[in-house]
Amino acid sequence: MREEDLILLECLEDVYHTFEKALKKAHQVRSIHVQKFEQLLVEISSERRIFEDISIPARLVVEQLLESQFKVGQVAIEAERLKQSFASVAYVKVEEFGIISTKIGELEVSWRDGNYSYYLYPDKVELRATDEKSSIKLFFSISFNRQTLERFPEILISPNVVYIHPQLEKWIRKV
């Protein structure tokens, strides 16, 4: 884990513990806001799992989805017979056991990180189930950028990455 990841993780831990303490106080009050606070605590846990529970290629995909969400990019998705044309990312979360969920437009898709292999292209990621019976394709309006990829050199030796486009590989190797 990189130093910047440790700093972010430490910040999340601080926020989590502070919020957890505040939530105990809030439970003394009957208010709908208490449920909202509980939801925020779940979201903080999800954010922490990005750093702790998922593989490097899954983290790259999650960060690309977050880039699209917060920088007004769009993502299209194909999963079996379901298709969603380019739309906004409503949310991305990492649940227990490395289950990644995202809602793009009106379509919500989840996958378990450990059960998928990753095929990386400049503006697309294909996730294939290890049994090859299902796949998910994510198409990005904002392509992967050099700065993001350079932060993940471990991706070149990750066992669940099957293919990396030559341009992406150059950027990761800083050639």
Side-chain angles (χ1 to χ4, degrees), residues 6 17 43 49 62 73 81 90 94 132 153 165 170:
L6 292 172
H17 291 301
E43 289 176 24
R49 286 188 200 103
V62 166
R81 291 183 222 136
V94 179
E132 296 281 331
H165 187 277
K170 281 182 186 177

Side-chain angles (χ1 to χ4, degrees), residues 114-157:
N115 295 347
Y116 281 81
S117 298
Y118 295 81
Y119 296 73
L120 306 172
Y121 302 88
D123 62 349
K124 167 179 111 168
V125 172
E126 184 174 350
L127 299 93
R128 290 188 194 163
T130 49
D131 64 7
E132 296 281 331
K133 291 184 179 177
S134 64
S135 70
I136 300 167
K137 294 178 186 172
L138 300 168
F139 303 89
F140 302 102
S141 66
I142 299 173
S143 298
F144 287 106
N145 65 50
R146 177 178 232 146
Q147 293 78 15
T148 302
L149 290 164
E150 286 177 350
R151 291 181 31 237
F152 296 101
E154 310 93 340
I155 211 161
L156 294 171
I157 57 170

Side-chain angles (χ1 to χ4, degrees), residues 10-164:
E10 185 179 336
C11 292
L12 284 167
E13 288 292 326
D14 291 346
V15 169
Y16 183 86
H17 291 301
T18 302
F19 219 84
E20 191 175 44
K21 184 179 170 185
L23 188 58
K24 286 178 185 172
K25 241 189 256 182
H27 275 117
Q28 298 170 5
V29 178
R30 276 187 70 133
S31 172
I32 192 68
H33 297 286
V34 175
Q35 286 178 304
K36 180 64 177 174
F37 291 171
E38 289 170 344
Q39 180 186 353
L40 290 170
L41 202 59
V42 169
E43 289 176 24
I44 293 167
S45 294
S46 173
E47 193 68 26
R48 200 173 73 215
R49 286 188 200 103
I50 292 172
F51 298 95
E52 297 177 329
D53 292 357
I54 59 175
S55 68
I56 294 294
R59 182 161 168 208
L60 177 66
V61 171
V62 166
E63 290 196 13
Q64 187 70 8
L65 288 166
L66 289 170
E67 285 266 337
S68 296
Q69 181 181 10
F70 292 111
K71 291 192 176 176
V72 198
Q74 293 191 324
V75 179
I77 189 165
E78 291 179 10
E80 300 311 306
R81 291 183 222 136
L82 302 173
K83 291 184 182 186
Q84 170 67 56
S85 58
F86 279 98
S88 298
V89 176
Y91 66 78
V92 181
K93 58 186 176 182
V94 179
E95 300 168 4
E96 291 179 321
F97 310 111
I99 296 172
I100 301 163
S101 297
T102 185
K103 184 173 182 183
I104 300 165
E106 295 300 315
L107 184 61
E108 182 177 351
V109 175
S110 298
W111 70 93
R112 186 162 187 250
D113 178 33
N115 295 347
Y116 281 81
S117 298
Y118 295 81
Y119 296 73
L120 306 172
Y121 302 88
D123 62 349
K124 167 179 111 168
V125 172
E126 184 174 350
L127 299 93
R128 290 188 194 163
T130 49
D131 64 7
E132 296 281 331
K133 291 184 179 177
S134 64
S135 70
I136 300 167
K137 294 178 186 172
L138 300 168
F139 303 89
F140 302 102
S141 66
I142 299 173
S143 298
F144 287 106
N145 65 50
R146 177 178 232 146
Q147 293 78 15
T148 302
L149 290 164
E150 286 177 350
R151 291 181 31 237
F152 296 101
E154 310 93 340
I155 211 161
L156 294 171
I157 57 170
S158 178
N160 45 350
V161 173
V162 176
Y163 175 78
I164 301 175

